[in-house]
Coordinates of all heavy atoms in Angstrom, one line a residue:
M22 N -12.5 -4.0 13.5 CA -13.4 -3.8 12.4 C -12.6 -3.3 11.2 O -11.9 -2.3 11.3 CB -14.4 -2.8 12.8 CG -15.5 -2.5 11.8 SD -16.8 -1.5 12.4 CE -17.8 -1.4 10.9
E23 N -12.7 -3.9 10.1 CA -12.0 -3.4 9.0 C -12.8 -3.6 7.7 O -13.7 -4.6 7.7 CB -10.6 -4.1 8.8 CG -10.7 -5.6 8.5 CD -9.3 -6.2 8.5 OE1 -8.3 -5.5 8.9 OE2 -9.2 -7.3 7.9
N24 N -12.6 -2.8 6.7 CA -13.3 -2.9 5.4 C -12.3 -3.3 4.4 O -11.3 -2.7 4.2 CB -13.9 -1.6 5.1 CG -14.9 -1.1 6.1 OD1 -15.8 -2.0 6.5 ND2 -14.9 0.1 6.6
K25 N -12.7 -4.4 3.6 CA -11.8 -4.8 2.4 C -12.2 -4.0 1.2 O -13.4 -4.0 0.9 CB -11.9 -6.3 2.2 CG -11.0 -6.8 1.1 CD -11.0 -8.3 1.1 CE -9.9 -8.7 0.2 NZ -10.3 -9.0 -1.2
L26 N -11.2 -3.5 0.6 CA -11.5 -2.6 -0.6 C -10.4 -3.0 -1.7 O -9.5 -3.7 -1.4 CB -11.3 -1.2 -0.3 CG -12.3 -0.7 0.9 CD1 -11.7 0.7 1.4 CD2 -13.6 -0.5 0.4
D27 N -10.5 -2.5 -2.8 CA -9.5 -2.8 -3.9 C -8.4 -1.7 -3.8 O -8.6 -0.8 -3.0 CB -10.0 -2.9 -5.2 CG -10.4 -1.7 -5.9 OD1 -9.9 -0.6 -5.5 OD2 -11.2 -1.7 -6.9
G28 N -7.4 -2.0 -4.4 CA -6.1 -1.1 -4.3 C -6.4 0.3 -4.6 O -5.7 1.2 -4.1
N29 N -7.3 0.6 -5.4 CA -7.6 2.0 -5.8 C -8.0 2.9 -4.5 O -7.8 4.0 -4.5 CB -8.7 2.1 -6.8 CG -8.2 1.5 -8.2 OD1 -7.2 1.9 -8.7 ND2 -8.9 0.5 -8.7
A30 N -8.5 2.1 -3.5 CA -9.0 2.8 -2.3 C -7.8 3.4 -1.6 O -7.9 4.4 -0.8 CB -9.8 1.9 -1.4
A31 N -6.6 2.8 -1.8 CA -5.4 3.4 -1.1 C -4.8 4.5 -1.9 O -3.9 5.2 -1.4 CB -4.4 2.2 -1.0
G32 N -5.3 4.8 -3.2 CA -4.8 5.8 -3.9 C -4.7 7.2 -3.3 O -3.8 8.0 -3.4
G33 N -5.8 7.5 -2.5 CA -6.0 8.8 -1.9 C -4.8 9.1 -0.9 O -4.2 10.1 -1.0
I34 N -4.6 8.1 0.1 CA -3.6 8.4 1.1 C -2.2 8.3 0.4 O -1.3 9.1 0.8 CB -3.8 7.5 2.3 CG1 -2.9 8.0 3.5 CG2 -3.4 6.0 2.0 CD1 -3.3 7.4 4.8
L35 N -2.0 7.4 -0.5 CA -0.7 7.4 -1.1 C -0.5 8.6 -2.0 O 0.7 9.1 -2.1 CB -0.6 6.1 -2.0 CG -0.6 4.8 -1.1 CD1 -0.7 3.6 -2.1 CD2 0.6 4.7 -0.2
Q36 N -1.4 9.2 -2.6 CA -1.4 10.4 -3.4 C -0.9 11.6 -2.5 O -0.2 12.4 -2.9 CB -2.7 10.7 -4.0 CG -2.5 11.8 -5.1 CD -1.8 11.3 -6.3 OE1 -2.2 10.3 -7.0 NE2 -0.7 11.9 -6.7
A37 N -1.3 11.5 -1.2 CA -0.9 12.6 -0.3 C 0.6 12.5 0.0 O 1.2 13.5 0.6 CB -1.7 12.4 1.0
I38 N 1.2 11.4 -0.2 CA 2.6 11.1 0.2 C 3.5 11.2 -1.0 O 4.6 11.8 -0.9 CB 2.8 9.8 0.9 CG1 1.9 9.7 2.1 CG2 4.2 9.5 1.4 CD1 1.7 8.3 2.8
F39 N 3.1 10.5 -2.0 CA 4.0 10.4 -3.3 C 3.4 11.3 -4.4 O 2.2 11.3 -4.5 CB 4.0 8.9 -3.8 CG 4.7 8.0 -2.8 CD1 3.8 7.2 -2.0 CD2 6.0 7.8 -2.7 CE1 4.4 6.3 -1.1 CE2 6.6 6.9 -1.9 CZ 5.8 6.1 -1.1
P40 N 4.3 11.9 -5.1 CA 3.8 12.8 -6.2 C 3.5 12.0 -7.5 O 3.8 12.5 -8.6 CB 4.9 13.8 -6.3 CG 6.2 13.0 -6.0 CD 5.7 12.0 -4.9
F41 N 3.1 10.8 -7.4 CA 2.8 9.9 -8.6 C 1.5 9.3 -8.4 O 1.0 9.3 -7.3 CB 3.9 8.8 -8.8 CG 5.3 9.3 -8.7 CD1 6.0 9.1 -7.6 CD2 5.8 9.9 -9.8 CE1 7.4 9.6 -7.5 CE2 7.2 10.3 -9.8 CZ 7.9 10.2 -8.7
D42 N 0.9 8.8 -9.5 CA -0.4 8.0 -9.4 C 0.1 6.6 -8.9 O 0.6 5.8 -9.7 CB -1.0 7.9 -10.7 CG -2.3 7.1 -10.6 OD1 -2.6 6.5 -9.5 OD2 -3.1 7.1 -11.5
M43 N 0.0 6.4 -7.5 CA 0.5 5.2 -7.0 C -0.4 3.9 -7.3 O 0.1 2.8 -7.1 CB 0.7 5.3 -5.5 CG 1.7 6.4 -5.1 SD 3.3 5.9 -5.7 CE 3.7 4.5 -4.6
T44 N -1.6 4.1 -7.8 CA -2.4 3.0 -8.2 C -1.7 2.3 -9.4 O -2.0 1.1 -9.6 CB -3.8 3.3 -8.5 OG1 -3.8 4.2 -9.6 CG2 -4.5 3.9 -7.4
L45 N -0.9 2.9 -10.1 CA -0.2 2.4 -11.3 C 1.2 1.9 -11.0 O 1.8 1.1 -11.8 CB 0.0 3.5 -12.4 CG -1.3 4.1 -13.0 CD1 -1.1 5.1 -13.9 CD2 -2.2 2.9 -13.6
A46 N 1.7 2.2 -9.8 CA 3.0 1.6 -9.4 C 2.9 0.1 -9.2 O 1.9 -0.4 -8.8 CB 3.4 2.3 -8.1
Q47 N 4.0 -0.6 -9.6 CA 4.2 -2.0 -9.5 C 4.9 -2.4 -8.2 O 6.0 -1.9 -7.9 CB 4.9 -2.6 -10.7 CG 4.4 -2.2 -12.0 CD 3.2 -3.1 -12.5 OE1 3.3 -4.3 -12.3 NE2 2.2 -2.5 -13.1
A48 N 4.3 -3.2 -7.4 CA 4.9 -3.6 -6.1 C 5.2 -5.1 -6.2 O 4.3 -5.9 -6.6 CB 3.9 -3.4 -5.0
T49 N 6.4 -5.5 -5.9 CA 6.8 -6.9 -5.8 C 6.7 -7.4 -4.4 O 7.4 -6.8 -3.5 CB 8.2 -7.1 -6.4 OG1 8.2 -6.7 -7.8 CG2 8.6 -8.6 -6.4
C50 N 6.0 -8.4 -4.1 CA 5.8 -9.0 -2.8 C 7.1 -9.6 -2.3 O 7.7 -10.4 -3.0 CB 4.7 -9.9 -2.8 SG 4.5 -10.8 -1.3
A51 N 7.5 -9.3 -1.0 CA 8.7 -9.9 -0.5 C 8.4 -11.3 -0.1 O 9.3 -12.2 0.2 CB 9.2 -9.1 0.7
G52 N 7.1 -11.7 0.1 CA 6.8 -13.0 0.5 C 6.8 -14.1 -0.6 O 7.5 -15.1 -0.5
C53 N 6.1 -13.8 -1.7 CA 6.0 -14.7 -2.8 C 6.6 -14.3 -4.1 O 6.6 -15.1 -5.1 CB 4.6 -15.1 -3.0 SG 3.5 -13.8 -3.7
G54 N 7.0 -13.0 -4.2 CA 7.7 -12.5 -5.5 C 6.7 -12.1 -6.5 O 7.2 -11.7 -7.6
T55 N 5.4 -12.2 -6.3 CA 4.4 -11.7 -7.3 C 4.5 -10.2 -7.4 O 4.6 -9.5 -6.4 CB 3.0 -12.2 -6.8 OG1 3.0 -13.6 -6.7 CG2 2.0 -11.7 -7.8
T56 N 4.3 -9.7 -8.7 CA 4.3 -8.3 -8.9 C 2.9 -7.9 -9.3 O 2.4 -8.5 -10.3 CB 5.4 -7.9 -10.0 OG1 6.7 -8.2 -9.5 CG2 5.2 -6.4 -10.2
N57 N 2.4 -6.9 -8.7 CA 1.0 -6.4 -9.0 C 1.1 -4.9 -9.1 O 1.8 -4.3 -8.3 CB 0.0 -6.9 -8.0 CG -0.5 -8.3 -8.2 OD1 -1.1 -8.7 -9.1 ND2 0.0 -9.2 -7.3
A58 N 0.1 -4.3 -9.9 CA -0.1 -2.9 -9.8 C -0.8 -2.7 -8.4 O -1.6 -3.5 -8.0 CB -1.0 -2.4 -10.9
M59 N -0.5 -1.5 -7.8 CA -1.0 -1.2 -6.5 C -2.5 -1.2 -6.5 O -3.2 -1.6 -5.5 CB -0.5 0.2 -6.0 CG 1.0 0.3 -5.9 SD 1.5 -0.4 -4.2 CE 1.1 0.9 -3.2
G60 N -3.0 -0.8 -7.7 CA -4.5 -0.7 -7.8 C -5.2 -2.1 -7.8 O -6.4 -2.2 -7.7
A61 N -4.4 -3.2 -8.0 CA -4.9 -4.5 -8.0 C -4.7 -5.2 -6.7 O -5.1 -6.4 -6.5 CB -4.2 -5.4 -9.2
L62 N -4.2 -4.6 -5.7 CA -3.9 -5.2 -4.4 C -5.1 -5.1 -3.5 O -6.0 -4.3 -3.7 CB -2.7 -4.5 -3.7 CG -1.4 -4.5 -4.5 CD1 -0.3 -3.7 -3.9 CD2 -0.9 -6.0 -4.8
A63 N -5.1 -5.9 -2.4 CA -6.2 -6.0 -1.5 C -5.9 -4.9 -0.4 O -4.8 -4.9 0.2 CB -6.3 -7.3 -0.9
V64 N -6.8 -4.0 -0.2 CA -6.6 -2.9 0.8 C -7.6 -3.1 1.9 O -8.8 -3.3 1.7 CB -6.8 -1.6 0.1 CG1 -6.8 -0.4 1.1 CG2 -5.8 -1.4 -0.9
Y65 N -7.2 -2.9 3.2 CA -8.1 -3.0 4.3 C -7.9 -1.6 5.0 O -6.8 -1.2 5.4 CB -7.6 -4.1 5.2 CG -7.7 -5.5 4.6 CD1 -6.7 -5.9 3.8 CD2 -8.9 -6.3 4.8 CE1 -6.8 -7.2 3.2 CE2 -8.9 -7.5 4.1 CZ -7.9 -8.0 3.4 OH -8.0 -9.2 2.7
M66 N -9.1 -1.0 5.2 CA -9.1 0.3 5.9 C -9.6 0.0 7.3 O -10.8 -0.6 7.4 CB -9.9 1.3 5.2 CG -9.7 1.5 3.8 SD -8.3 2.7 3.5 CE -9.1 3.7 2.3
H67 N -9.0 0.5 8.3 CA -9.6 0.4 9.7 C -9.0 1.5 10.6 O -8.3 2.3 10.0 CB -9.4 -1.0 10.3 CG -8.0 -1.5 10.2 ND1 -7.0 -1.1 11.0 CD2 -7.5 -2.5 9.4 CE1 -5.9 -1.8 10.7 NE2 -6.1 -2.5 9.8
G68 N -9.4 1.5 11.8 CA -9.0 2.6 12.7 C -7.6 2.9 12.8 O -7.1 4.0 13.0
M69 N -6.7 1.9 12.7 CA -5.2 2.0 12.8 C -4.6 2.5 11.5 O -3.4 2.8 11.5 CB -4.6 0.6 13.2 CG -5.0 0.1 14.5 SD -4.6 1.3 15.9 CE -2.8 1.1 15.8
G70 N -5.4 2.6 10.4 CA -4.8 3.1 9.2 C -5.1 2.2 8.0 O -6.2 1.4 8.0
T71 N -4.4 2.2 7.1 CA -4.6 1.5 5.8 C -3.6 0.3 5.7 O -2.3 0.6 5.9 CB -4.4 2.4 4.6 OG1 -5.4 3.5 4.7 CG2 -4.7 1.7 3.3
V72 N -4.0 -0.9 5.4 CA -3.1 -2.1 5.3 C -3.3 -2.6 3.9 O -4.5 -2.8 3.4 CB -3.5 -3.1 6.3 CG1 -2.6 -4.4 6.0 CG2 -3.3 -2.5 7.7
I73 N -2.2 -2.7 3.1 CA -2.2 -3.2 1.7 C -1.6 -4.6 1.7 O -0.5 -4.8 2.1 CB -1.5 -2.3 0.7 CG1 -2.2 -0.9 0.9 CG2 -1.6 -2.8 -0.6 CD1 -1.4 0.2 0.1
R74 N -2.4 -5.6 1.3 CA -1.9 -7.0 1.3 C -1.7 -7.5 -0.1 O -2.4 -7.1 -1.0 CB -2.9 -7.9 2.0 CG -3.0 -7.7 3.5 CD -4.0 -8.6 4.2 NE -4.1 -8.5 5.6 CZ -3.3 -9.1 6.4 NH1 -2.4 -10.0 6.0 NH2 -3.4 -8.9 7.7
C75 N -0.8 -8.5 -0.3 CA -0.6 -9.2 -1.5 C -1.9 -10.1 -1.7 O -2.3 -10.9 -0.8 CB 0.6 -10.2 -1.3 SG 0.9 -11.3 -2.8
P76 N -2.4 -10.0 -3.0 CA -3.6 -10.9 -3.3 C -3.3 -12.4 -3.4 O -4.1 -13.2 -3.4 CB -4.1 -10.3 -4.6 CG -2.9 -9.6 -5.2 CD -2.0 -9.1 -4.0
S77 N -1.9 -12.7 -3.6 CA -1.6 -14.0 -3.8 C -1.3 -14.9 -2.5 O -1.7 -15.9 -2.3 CB -0.4 -14.1 -4.7 OG -0.6 -13.5 -6.0
C78 N -0.5 -14.2 -1.6 CA -0.1 -14.9 -0.4 C -0.5 -14.2 0.9 O -0.2 -14.7 2.0 CB 1.4 -15.1 -0.4 SG 2.4 -13.6 -0.1
D79 N -1.2 -13.1 0.8 CA -1.7 -12.4 1.9 C -0.7 -11.7 2.8 O -1.0 -11.2 3.9 CB -2.6 -13.2 2.8 CG -3.9 -12.5 3.4 OD1 -4.4 -11.6 2.7 OD2 -4.2 -12.8 4.5
T80 N 0.6 -11.6 2.3 CA 1.6 -10.9 3.1 C 1.2 -9.4 3.2 O 0.7 -8.8 2.1 CB 2.9 -11.0 2.3 OG1 3.4 -12.3 2.5 CG2 4.0 -10.0 2.9
V81 N 1.5 -8.8 4.3 CA 1.3 -7.3 4.4 C 2.3 -6.6 3.7 O 3.5 -6.7 4.0 CB 1.2 -6.8 5.9 CG1 1.0 -5.4 6.0 CG2 0.1 -7.5 6.6
L82 N 2.0 -5.9 2.6 CA 3.0 -5.2 1.8 C 3.3 -3.8 2.4 O 4.4 -3.5 2.5 CB 2.5 -5.0 0.3 CG 2.2 -6.4 -0.4 CD1 1.6 -6.0 -1.8 CD2 3.4 -7.2 -0.6
I83 N 2.3 -3.1 2.6 CA 2.4 -1.7 3.1 C 1.3 -1.4 4.2 O 0.2 -1.8 4.1 CB 2.2 -0.6 1.9 CG1 3.2 -1.0 0.8 CG2 2.3 0.7 2.4 CD1 2.9 -0.1 -0.4
R84 N 1.8 -0.7 5.3 CA 0.9 -0.1 6.3 C 1.1 1.3 6.2 O 2.2 1.8 6.2 CB 1.3 -0.7 7.6 CG 0.9 -2.1 8.0 CD 1.0 -2.3 9.4 NE 0.8 -3.7 9.9 CZ 1.7 -4.7 9.8 NH1 3.0 -4.3 9.6 NH2 1.3 -5.9 10.2
V85 N 0.1 2.0 6.2 CA 0.1 3.5 6.3 C -0.8 4.0 7.4 O -1.9 3.6 7.5 CB -0.5 4.2 5.0 CG1 -0.2 5.7 4.9 CG2 0.2 3.6 3.7
A86 N -0.2 4.8 8.2 CA -1.0 5.5 9.3 C -0.7 6.9 9.3 O 0.4 7.4 9.0 CB -0.6 4.8 10.7
Q87 N -1.7 7.7 9.7 CA -1.4 9.1 9.9 C -1.6 9.4 11.3 O -2.7 9.2 11.8 CB -2.4 9.9 9.0 CG -2.1 11.4 8.9 CD -3.1 12.1 8.0 OE1 -4.0 11.6 7.5 NE2 -2.7 13.4 7.8
I88 N -0.6 9.9 11.9 CA -0.6 10.2 13.4 C -0.1 11.6 13.6 O 1.0 11.9 13.4 CB 0.3 9.2 14.2 CG1 -0.2 7.7 13.8 CG2 0.3 9.4 15.7 CD1 0.8 6.7 14.3
H89 N -1.0 12.4 14.2 CA -0.6 13.8 14.5 C 0.0 14.5 13.3 O 1.1 15.1 13.5 CB 0.3 13.8 15.7 CG -0.3 13.2 17.0 ND1 -1.5 13.5 17.5 CD2 0.2 12.2 17.7 CE1 -1.8 12.8 18.5 NE2 -0.8 12.0 18.7
G90 N -0.5 14.2 12.2 CA -0.1 15.0 11.0 C 1.1 14.4 10.3 O 1.6 14.9 9.3
D91 N 1.6 13.4 10.9 CA 2.8 12.6 10.2 C 2.3 11.3 9.6 O 1.5 10.7 10.1 CB 3.9 12.3 11.2 CG 4.6 13.6 11.7 OD1 4.6 14.5 11.0 OD2 5.1 13.4 12.9
Y92 N 2.8 11.0 8.4 CA 2.5 9.7 7.8 C 3.6 8.7 8.2 O 4.8 9.0 8.2 CB 2.5 9.8 6.3 CG 1.3 10.6 5.7 CD1 1.5 11.9 5.3 CD2 0.1 10.1 5.7 CE1 0.4 12.7 4.7 CE2 -1.0 10.8 5.3 CZ -0.9 12.1 4.7 OH -1.9 12.8 4.3
W93 N 3.2 7.5 8.6 CA 4.0 6.5 9.0 C 3.9 5.4 8.0 O 2.7 4.8 7.8 CB 3.8 5.9 10.4 CG 4.0 7.0 11.5 CD1 3.4 8.1 11.6 CD2 5.0 6.9 12.5 NE1 3.9 8.8 12.8 CE2 4.9 8.0 13.3 CE3 6.0 5.9 12.8 CZ2 5.7 8.2 14.4 CZ3 6.8 6.1 13.9 CH2 6.7 7.3 14.6
L94 N 4.9 5.0 7.2 CA 4.9 4.0 6.2 C 5.7 2.8 6.6 O 7.0 2.9 6.9 CB 5.5 4.5 4.9 CG 4.5 4.7 3.8 CD1 3.6 6.0 4.1 CD2 5.1 4.9 2.5
D95 N 5.1 1.6 6.7 CA 5.9 0.4 6.9 C 5.8 -0.4 5.7 O 4.7 -0.8 5.2 CB 5.2 -0.4 8.1 CG 5.8 -1.8 8.3 OD1 6.6 -2.2 7.5 OD2 5.6 -2.4 9.4
M96 N 6.9 -0.5 5.0 CA 6.9 -1.1 3.6 C 7.8 -2.4 3.5 O 8.3 -2.7 2.5 CB 7.4 -0.1 2.5 CG 6.4 1.1 2.5 SD 6.9 2.3 1.2 CE 6.6 1.3 -0.3
R97 N 7.9 -3.1 4.7 CA 8.8 -4.2 4.7 C 8.3 -5.3 3.9 O 9.1 -6.2 3.5 CB 9.0 -4.7 6.2 CG 7.8 -5.6 6.7 CD 8.0 -5.9 8.1 NE 7.5 -4.8 9.0 CZ 7.5 -5.0 10.3 NH1 7.8 -6.0 10.9 NH2 7.0 -3.9 11.0
G98 N 7.0 -5.4 3.5 CA 6.6 -6.5 2.6 C 6.8 -6.2 1.1 O 6.5 -7.1 0.3
V99 N 7.3 -5.1 0.8 CA 7.6 -4.8 -0.6 C 9.1 -4.9 -1.0 O 9.9 -4.3 -0.4 CB 7.2 -3.4 -1.0 CG1 7.5 -3.0 -2.4 CG2 5.7 -3.1 -0.7
R100 N 9.4 -5.9 -1.9 CA 10.8 -6.1 -2.2 C 11.2 -5.0 -3.1 O 12.3 -4.5 -3.0 CB 10.9 -7.5 -2.9 CG 12.4 -7.8 -3.1 CD 12.6 -9.1 -3.9 NE 11.9 -10.3 -3.2 CZ 11.6 -11.4 -3.7 NH1 11.8 -11.6 -5.0 NH2 11.0 -12.3 -3.0
I101 N 10.4 -4.7 -4.2 CA 10.7 -3.7 -5.1 C 9.4 -2.9 -5.4 O 8.3 -3.5 -5.5 CB 11.1 -4.3 -6.5 CG1 12.4 -5.1 -6.3 CG2 11.3 -3.3 -7.6 CD1 12.8 -6.0 -7.5
L102 N 9.6 -1.6 -5.4 CA 8.4 -0.7 -5.8 C 8.9 0.0 -7.1 O 9.9 0.7 -7.1 CB 8.2 0.3 -4.7 CG 6.9 1.2 -4.9 CD1 5.7 0.4 -4.9 CD2 6.8 2.2 -3.8
Q103 N 8.1 -0.2 -8.2 CA 8.5 0.3 -9.4 C 7.5 1.4 -9.8 O 6.3 1.1 -9.9 CB 8.4 -0.7 -10.6 CG 8.8 -0.2 -12.0 CD 8.6 -1.3 -13.0 OE1 8.5 -2.4 -12.7 NE2 8.5 -0.9 -14.3
I104 N 7.9 2.7 -9.9 CA 7.0 3.8 -10.1 C 7.4 4.5 -11.5 O 8.5 4.7 -11.8 CB 7.2 4.9 -9.0 CG1 7.0 4.3 -7.7 CG2 6.3 6.1 -9.3 CD1 7.4 5.2 -6.5
S105 N 6.4 4.6 -12.3 CA 6.6 5.2 -13.6 C 6.5 6.8 -13.4 O 5.6 7.3 -13.0 CB 5.4 4.8 -14.6 OG 5.6 5.6 -15.8
A106 N 7.7 7.4 -13.7 CA 7.8 8.8 -13.5 C 7.0 9.6 -14.4 O 6.6 10.8 -14.3 CB 9.2 9.3 -13.5
G107 N 6.6 9.0 -15.5 CA 5.7 9.7 -16.5 C 4.3 9.6 -16.2 O 3.6 10.2 -16.9
A108 N 3.9 8.8 -15.3 CA 2.5 8.7 -15.0 C 1.9 9.9 -14.3 O 2.5 10.6 -13.7 CB 2.2 7.5 -14.1
Ligands
LIG206 ZN1 2.8 -12.4 -2.0

Protein backbone atom coordinates (compact mmCIF):
# COMPACT_ATOMS: atom_id res chain seq x y z
CA MET A 1 0.00 0.00 0.00
CA GLU A 2 1.46 3.34 -1.02
CA ASN A 3 0.30 6.88 -1.49
CA LYS A 4 1.46 8.95 -4.44
CA LEU A 5 2.20 12.55 -3.49
CA ASP A 6 4.10 15.44 -5.01
CA GLY A 7 7.74 16.15 -4.17
CA ASN A 8 6.88 18.67 -1.49
CA ALA A 9 5.65 15.76 0.61
CA ALA A 10 9.25 14.54 0.91
CA GLY A 11 10.38 17.94 2.16
CA GLY A 12 9.73 17.03 5.79
CA ILE A 13 11.91 13.95 6.01
CA LEU A 14 14.64 15.48 3.82
CA GLN A 15 14.58 18.61 5.99
CA ALA A 16 15.38 16.36 8.95
CA ILE A 17 18.54 15.18 7.17
CA PHE A 18 19.78 18.15 5.12
CA PRO A 19 20.09 21.72 6.44
CA PHE A 20 18.62 23.14 3.20
CA ASP A 21 15.17 23.46 1.66
CA MET A 22 15.44 20.26 -0.35
CA THR A 23 12.24 20.89 -2.31
CA LEU A 24 14.27 23.53 -4.21
CA ALA A 25 17.28 21.23 -4.82
CA GLN A 26 17.73 20.08 -8.43
CA ALA A 27 18.10 16.36 -8.99
CA THR A 28 19.41 14.91 -12.26
CA CYS A 29 18.06 11.44 -13.03
CA ALA A 30 20.70 8.76 -13.64
CA GLY A 31 18.22 6.97 -15.91
CA CYS A 32 17.18 9.62 -18.44
CA GLY A 33 19.23 12.70 -17.53
CA THR A 34 16.22 14.90 -16.83
CA THR A 35 16.74 17.55 -14.14
CA ASN A 36 13.85 18.50 -11.89
CA ALA A 37 13.37 20.38 -8.64
CA MET A 38 12.79 17.88 -5.84
CA GLY A 39 9.41 19.52 -5.25
CA ALA A 40 8.35 18.50 -8.77
CA LEU A 41 9.21 14.81 -8.39
CA ALA A 42 6.78 11.97 -7.76
CA VAL A 43 6.85 10.80 -4.14
CA TYR A 44 5.45 7.56 -2.79
CA MET A 45 5.03 7.15 0.95
CA HIS A 46 4.53 3.68 2.36
CA GLY A 47 5.45 1.51 5.28
CA MET A 48 9.02 0.94 4.13
CA GLY A 49 9.70 4.65 3.88
CA THR A 50 9.69 7.34 1.22
CA VAL A 51 10.44 6.64 -2.45
CA ILE A 52 11.10 9.52 -4.85
CA ARG A 53 10.78 8.73 -8.56
CA CYS A 54 11.66 10.54 -11.78
CA PRO A 55 8.45 11.91 -13.34
CA SER A 56 9.87 11.31 -16.84
CA CYS A 57 11.12 7.70 -16.73
CA ASP A 58 9.95 6.40 -13.32
CA THR A 59 13.51 5.58 -12.17
CA VAL A 60 13.79 5.47 -8.38
CA LEU A 61 15.92 8.51 -7.55
CA ILE A 62 15.98 8.40 -3.76
CA ARG A 63 14.78 6.02 -1.09
CA VAL A 64 14.64 7.24 2.49
CA ALA A 65 13.91 5.01 5.44
CA GLN A 66 14.10 5.73 9.14
CA ILE A 67 15.13 2.66 11.12
CA HIS A 68 15.73 2.74 14.86
CA GLY A 69 16.54 6.44 14.79
CA ASP A 70 18.90 6.25 11.81
CA TYR A 71 18.14 7.61 8.35
CA TRP A 72 19.05 5.33 5.44
CA LEU A 73 19.44 7.11 2.09
CA ASP A 74 19.70 5.21 -1.19
CA MET A 75 20.48 7.83 -3.84
CA ARG A 76 21.75 5.64 -6.65
CA GLY A 77 19.19 7.06 -9.07
CA VAL A 78 20.54 10.61 -8.74
CA ARG A 79 23.45 11.48 -11.03
CA ILE A 80 23.79 15.03 -9.72
CA LEU A 81 22.16 16.76 -6.77
CA GLN A 82 22.40 20.55 -6.99
CA ILE A 83 21.65 22.37 -3.73
CA SER A 84 21.47 26.13 -3.47
CA ALA A 85 23.33 27.04 -0.28
CA GLY A 86 21.52 30.37 -0.20
CA ALA A 87 18.07 28.80 -0.02
ZN1 LIG B 1 14.45 9.82 -15.43
